[in-house]
Amino acid sequence: GYWHETFHCWFVDAQYIYLQKRSGSKKDYPNLLDITAAGHLLAEEEIKDGIREVREELGIDVSFDQLMPLGVLSYSVRHEQLIDNEFANVFFYMFNGDLDSFQLQQDEVAGIVRINNKDFIELWRGEREEVIIQGFEMKDNGVKQQIHEIVGRDIFVSHDDAYYLAVIKGLEDRIVD
């Protein structure tokens, strides 16, 4: 429950927001959709050091200069025995690749999906109940399985609603026409 700093990087493009599907072996929130790449910062690390999470989790090289800062969002989430108090340093990355660009660290990330930006915004504003996700998941045998599903908010990591609303405000201000 200690307050700590984290690094959050949302991959976006003009049409989609990209999310990771957390590995089924993760202790917290297994198999749920989450921020494209994220992680905790160590006490001696600076915010820019968080960029390592993108390379480690997604296999994509991104420089800190390529990120668009959204700001620091503080929030607290309680889930089962977990109390997560974060000062999240949130960034957008304008992604110009495709789903095949991702090389996943499978013990952390099981898959990558994308959602239409406007649908994502409407979902978190409560204007729709479900969205279509498209992407892939890596199975234990190394086979890439395509994902095309209709899902609701229950399949997302339970970040505070205010957090999601701040992200969609940033999407609208910087990305979505």
Side-chain angles (χ1 to χ4, degrees):
Y2 291 113
W3 284 92
H4 58 282
E5 278 195 292
T6 56
F7 172 86
H8 294 182
C9 184
W10 293 88
F11 277 41
V12 296
D13 64 27
Q15 188 173 0
Y16 296 106
I17 187 165
Y18 295 78
L19 301 118
Q20 70 166 256
K21 181 175 182 183
R22 293 172 60 86
S23 169
S25 63
K26 295 289 287 181
K27 178 183 166 208
D28 300 318
Y29 310 112
N31 296 311
L32 295 183
L33 300 180
D34 202 1
I35 302 153
T36 324
H40 295 90
L41 296 175
L42 302 174
E44 67 276 2
E45 289 185 307
E46 298 178 20
I47 296 165
K48 66 179 181 179
D49 295 323
I51 198 73
R52 69 176 152 67
E53 296 291 343
V54 175
R55 178 73 179 112
E56 289 173 5
E57 294 182 357
L58 308 176
I60 295 178
D61 286 315
V62 173
S63 73
F64 191 74
D65 305 354
Q66 294 174 287
L67 303 182
M68 291 183 290
L70 179 60
V72 178
L73 304 177
S74 60
Y75 67 93
S76 181
V77 174
R78 296 176 187 272
H79 176 75
E80 297 174 0
Q81 301 299 323
L82 174 70
I83 300 172
D84 190 17
N85 295 318
E86 293 190 6
F87 295 112
N89 297 277
V90 183
F91 300 89
F92 290 119
Y93 170 67
M94 285 301 292
F95 180 59
N96 62 1
D98 58 30
L99 291 170
D100 289 330
S101 301
F102 295 95
Q103 302 298 314
L104 307 180
Q105 180 185 17
Q106 287 184 257
D107 59 331
E108 295 279 332
V109 182
I112 294 289
V113 299
R114 64 185 186 189
I115 302 170
N116 178 280
N117 287 327
K118 291 181 181 179
D119 293 347
F120 182 81
I121 290 167
E122 289 174 3
L123 178 72
W124 288 103
R125 283 204 174 128
E127 297 167 1
R128 66 170 44 224
E129 295 293 318
E130 299 174 321
V131 293
I132 296 171
I133 61 171
Q134 298 174 297
F136 70 90
E137 178 178 5
M138 296 302 295
K139 295 301 185 181
D140 290 337
N141 60 3
V143 173
K144 187 184 280 188
Q145 180 178 330
Q146 297 302 309
I147 297 173
H148 186 97
E149 298 175 8
I150 298 173
V151 300
R153 287 171 57 161
D154 60 327
I155 197 73
F156 291 80
V157 169
S158 59
H159 298 290
D160 186 87
D161 281 358
Y163 174 86
Y164 281 114
L165 293 174
V167 169
I168 65 171
K169 172 107 173 66
L171 265 176
E172 290 178 318
D173 291 348
R174 294 168 175 84
I175 313 299
V176 179
D177 293 330

